[in-house]
Amino acid sequence: MCGIFGIVTSKEQPLGELLTAAARRLMYRGYDSVGAATLRDDGTIDLRKDVGRVDAVAEKYNFSEMVGRRGITQLRWATFGEPSQVNAQPHIDSDGDIVGAHNGNVVNNFKLRQQFIAEGLTVRSENDGESCVHAVEHYVNKGYDFVDAIRLAYGDLAGDYAFVIGHARDDRLYAIKKGSGLVVGLGEDADGQPFTCVSSDLPSILPLTRRIVRIQDDEIIILWPDHVELLSVKDGQRIEREPEIVTQSMDAVQKGGYPHFMLKEIHEQPQVARELLHLLNEASEVNTFIEQARKARNLYLLGCGTSYHACLLGAVYFAQIAGRAAIPVLAPQFIRQYAPAVNHEDLGVFVSQSGETKDVLSALQVAEKRGMTAIGIANVIGSTLTKAAACWLPLGCGYEISVPATKTFTNQVVTFLYLAYRLAGLDSPPLEGIPDLMEQTLEMTAPQMEALAGEINSWNDLYCLGYGATYPIALEGALKLKEITYAHCEGMLSTEFKHGPLSAVSDGYPVLFAAPPDDVPLIVSGINEVTCRGGRAIVIGEEDARLRGEASDVIALPKAGPAISPLLAVLPLQLLSYYMSVRRGYDPDFPRNLSKTLTVD
Ligand code: F6R
């Protein structure tokens, strides 16, 4: 994710405090490292950056003494390239007269770095933000003016990103975006002097000004102190856009206009899945996984809680798509059940949003002692898991603030689905439709789930059932429901329900089913067992006359097929638990007794 902020003022002045304050307000986008650069009237650039949180780095490097007419700051959420001082942003070009910073992912970074090194440019880090700077430098060296160099660089930089860049010997900043968000602010300081600023998001801009311009893809913005100019990347033509006035409160802005982070993060899922697919297409670690998985004797998938549910679904995908058996296991149980039997011929995939879960790290330690190869899948890069594993894949979700995992779960599942197709020998997994299908699912099901939450909210006891690839989804839906509504909700294989739990069913008793498209007759049997006893069978699945005919309620998903449909089915379950939690007067972002990162046994 990462966050960027840049400001252009009308005279040289202390900018360090202002940049630190802006960085603090972007911390929710990343906190692995922070940096600030000021561009001074004497044509020099003052660049200070390091690993750590904003306040610590700002104090250590005396950001408060930084002076300039223009300034840039960046908060990093590492994806590729570990959190380190050299990978921290902003970055300078080879001779130090261009400085820039980005957020997002440049997915052809590896190739570009090799090209820049071959050209003789000074490449100091592995970070893709540095590639943005060299991509511009590359065209400046060929004689293009700065704006044309940025326009051409934009064509070379693939992925989803935004970046801000400035030249030591002029008085402007320039910014551009592809996929990611970018907003510009226009205001006046306390002395009535004009300034303009640009950022990946509004929280860093709103305390300075509420006059903003939203930038679109394929546009380049030039910032002077008193005005901004918007140009088309394609033909350099001027684009006219009037500023708008933002009236939302700061709290609402931080939550992206949603009442809770959980709802914001639920709605971010299509975009983070899109970005992840781009990342996976370029990640050399995918090949490492394929090589290791092909030669491994046994393949274990380990995690806890929600991440374990992703492992369960991963194992279904590996078997169904790649014909490769995998053993999903709760990380602490691995220690007693499997560790005594593993050795260097085995491979373990350790899955964790935080990368700090003690239960996962303890299993990893035991596995490595036994010589097993460990691959990590984590959202927080730089976390202990990413350092301890032989190699790792990022989830690329940005900061997940809400305690219940949502977007990190779906990106874990997308990762497993992608790996399963690659293991099956497909170089281009047919997954590019996922983000749009997720968007459609959220749109189609949200009103229904909000209404349903009202109808079943009085029940403190529910079941959530699935079969095959939707069994892990049923477990995950049940976990979300109990986590934030405090109701008892049990997730179960649908065929097991008749072996005992069916006795719970009474008039109106809600049983949720996640129906896999290939197993509708089996789900229909389960539905009938519930409805004939007066229970309410609520089915989530693709439109199907058999489900319509038998279920009490059908939550229809867009047609996606047996591999992708289970992934979509979790979205309405997330929404249901969210709406029920809010109806009960709870804060779904911070459920009682729970913590986002569990570093204890
Ligand atoms: C539930 C949830 C937890 C985590 C579990 C593991 O919404 O978030 O069940 O999945 O505590 O955490 P990570 O993935 O950080 O290892």
Side-chain angles (χ1 to χ4, degrees):
M1 207 182 197
C2 307
I4 53 172
F5 173 86
I7 187 158
V8 179
T9 67
S10 50
K11 63 173 193 308
E12 186 160 277
Q13 57 187 291
L15 283 182
E17 298 282 5
L18 188 148
L19 293 175
T20 307
R24 229 179 260 128
R25 289 188 291 266
L26 286 176
M27 246 177 73
Y28 72 97
R29 298 181 65 97
Y31 47 71
D32 294 329
S33 62
V34 60
T38 51
L39 298 96
R40 306 169 63 129
D41 282 357
D42 63 3
T44 59
I45 293 172
D46 182 359
L47 172 63
R48 307 176 191 205
K49 57 183 184 174
D50 208 346
V51 174
R53 305 271 170 135
V54 176
D55 287 329
V57 175
E59 195 186 326
K60 184 170 170 199
Y61 291 88
N62 287 324
F63 281 13
S64 58
E65 65 183 27
M66 294 175 82
V67 169
R69 187 185 286 255
R70 294 164 288 157
I72 293 174
T73 184
Q74 201 266 9
L75 274 300
R76 181 156 184 249
W77 177 271
T79 43
F80 291 105
E82 61 167 8
S84 64
Q85 187 178 33
V86 75
N87 282 330
Q89 301 199 46
H91 295 285
I92 49 172
D93 71 333
S94 302
D95 52 9
D97 57 6
I98 299 174
V99 63
H102 95 315
N103 64 246
N105 295 300
V106 173
V107 295
N108 56 342
N109 180 43
F110 183 71
K111 232 180 272 165
L112 287 173
R113 282 181 69 245
Q114 285 180 321
Q115 177 199 321
F116 298 143
I117 291 166
E119 276 174 24
L121 304 187
T122 308
V123 177
R124 301 173 182 89
S125 75
E126 292 177 348
N127 181 251
D128 45 346
E130 184 175 349
S131 291
C132 294
V133 175
H134 291 309
V136 175
E137 177 189 12
H138 164 85
Y139 287 107
V140 169
N141 288 350
K142 288 182 171 208
Y144 288 94
D145 75 28
F146 209 56
V147 172
D148 284 340
I150 295 170
R151 287 176 46 211
L152 290 163
Y154 185 73
D156 293 345
L157 296 160
D160 297 88
Y161 58 85
F163 78 90
V164 55
I165 194 160
H167 197 292
R169 288 180 298 279
D170 77 23
D171 54 0
R172 279 148 273 172
L173 286 180
Y174 309 79
I176 206 152
K177 74 156 208 110
K178 201 179 267 181
S180 305
L182 190 68
V183 274
V184 163
L186 299 105
E188 284 181 1
D189 65 16
D191 300 328
Q193 295 300 311
F195 69 84
T196 61
C197 55
V198 62
S199 179
S200 4
D201 208 351
L202 285 173
S204 56
I205 293 186
L206 289 192
L208 304 174
T209 177
R210 287 186 166 261
R211 269 181 81 211
I212 67 129
V213 178
R214 293 179 201 271
I215 310 305
Q216 310 294 330
D217 283 0
D218 300 327
E219 294 175 351
I220 172 167
I221 184 102
I222 308 172
L223 297 102
W224 278 270
D226 57 350
H227 71 286
V228 295
E229 193 179 343
L230 204 50
L231 304 175
S232 158
V233 169
K234 291 197 178 100
D235 52 18
Q237 288 298 303
R238 235 186 127 115
I239 298 166
E240 298 301 332
R241 185 167 309 137
E242 284 301 309
E244 57 179 283
I245 306 294
V246 174
T247 54
Q248 284 170 306
S249 72
M250 194 63 174
D251 184 54
V253 165
Q254 268 166 340
K255 290 177 179 153
Y258 293 98
H260 296 96
F261 286 110
M262 182 179 180
L263 195 57
K264 175 175 180 251
E265 287 160 7
I266 287 174
H267 284 275
E268 278 173 357
Q269 290 176 106
Q271 179 57 20
V272 296
R274 194 171 281 127
E275 291 176 20
L276 178 69
L277 287 167
H278 288 161
L279 271 179
L280 289 170
N281 282 334
E282 300 295 326
S284 58
E285 289 76 3
V286 170
N287 298 330
T288 312
F289 168 79
I290 303 301
E291 277 162 34
Q292 299 280 352
R294 286 210 172 115
K295 64 178 191 217
R297 180 182 64 156
N298 287 316
L299 170 60
Y300 296 91
L301 311 178
L302 304 91
C304 296
T306 289
S307 298
Y308 168 65
H309 297 152
C311 293
L312 284 171
L313 188 43
V316 177
Y317 286 148
F318 284 150
Q320 288 185 347
I321 296 169
R324 174 67 161 102
I327 304 161
V329 54
L330 282 162
Q333 181 64 5
F334 171 83
I335 296 173
R336 289 284 174 260
Q337 187 173 342
Y338 295 109
V342 303
N343 64 28
H344 66 279
E345 296 166 293
D346 299 313
L347 174 66
V349 180
F350 292 75
V351 184
S352 172
Q353 181 284 129
S354 60
E356 299 295 350
T357 301
K358 176 93 185 300
D359 286 336
V360 176
L361 298 178
S362 303
L364 177 74
Q365 227 175 14
V366 173
E368 288 190 328
K369 253 193 210 139
R370 302 272 321 169
M372 184 168 128
T373 306
I375 293 187
I377 296 181
N379 192 42
V380 183
I381 307 310
S383 58
T384 310
L385 173 60
T386 62
K387 289 189 176 132
C391 92
W392 48 266
L393 281 162
L395 291 169
C397 292
Y399 200 3
E400 189 174 64
I401 294 174
S402 193
V403 168
T406 52
K407 59 180 177 172
T408 53
F409 173 72
T410 44
N411 265 12
Q412 287 166 349
V413 173
V414 170
T415 303
F416 276 130
L417 193 46
Y418 187 93
L419 294 176
Y421 277 112
R422 289 292 305 275
L423 203 51
L426 267 76
D427 283 344
S428 306
L431 302 178
E432 63 286 348
I434 285 180
D436 287 350
L437 286 164
M438 286 175 123
E439 259 156 28
Q440 285 169 36
T441 304
L442 290 170
E443 220 169 278
M444 283 163 68
T445 62
Q448 236 180 324
M449 299 324 279
E450 193 169 3
L452 184 67
E455 291 166 28
I456 65 171
N457 202 31
S458 58
W459 291 88
N460 266 322
D461 200 8
L462 303 97
Y463 278 90
C464 195
L465 312 181
Y467 180 76
T470 64
Y471 167 54
I473 296 299
L475 296 188
E476 176 56 12
L479 176 59
K480 287 291 96 91
L481 278 158
K482 53 191 156 202
E483 187 177 8
I484 58 171
T485 71
Y486 313 151
H488 170 248
C489 183
E490 209 171 323
M492 192 172 282
L493 195 72
S494 62
T495 52
E496 279 295 291
F497 196 56
K498 60 182 177 289
H499 294 293
L502 187 57
S503 64
V505 172
S506 59
D507 246 11
Y509 187 93
V511 181
L512 294 148
F513 288 86
D518 283 355
D519 287 302
V520 169
L522 194 105
I523 294 292
V524 166
S525 294
I527 291 170
N528 288 335
E529 282 156 15
V530 169
T531 51
C532 76
R533 289 168 176 86
R536 181 168 179 178
I538 302 155
V539 185
I540 299 167
E542 291 185 4
E543 192 58 65
D544 189 301
R546 293 166 293 178
L547 295 176
R548 283 269 171 214
E550 304 300 329
S552 318
D553 309 81
V554 175
I555 316 298
L557 300 174
K559 254 203 156 10
I564 296 174
S565 186
L567 170 67
L568 303 182
V570 81
L571 305 182
L573 290 168
Q574 295 170 345
L575 288 166
L576 178 67
S577 48
Y578 169 78
Y579 287 122
M580 281 178 68
S581 174
V582 172
R583 274 189 169 267
R584 288 172 182 227
Y586 303 140
D587 180 351
D589 287 338
F590 303 104
R592 68 184 181 205
N593 308 338
L594 300 180
S595 154
K596 187 80 184 156
T597 306
L598 284 164
T599 53
V600 291
D601 281 317

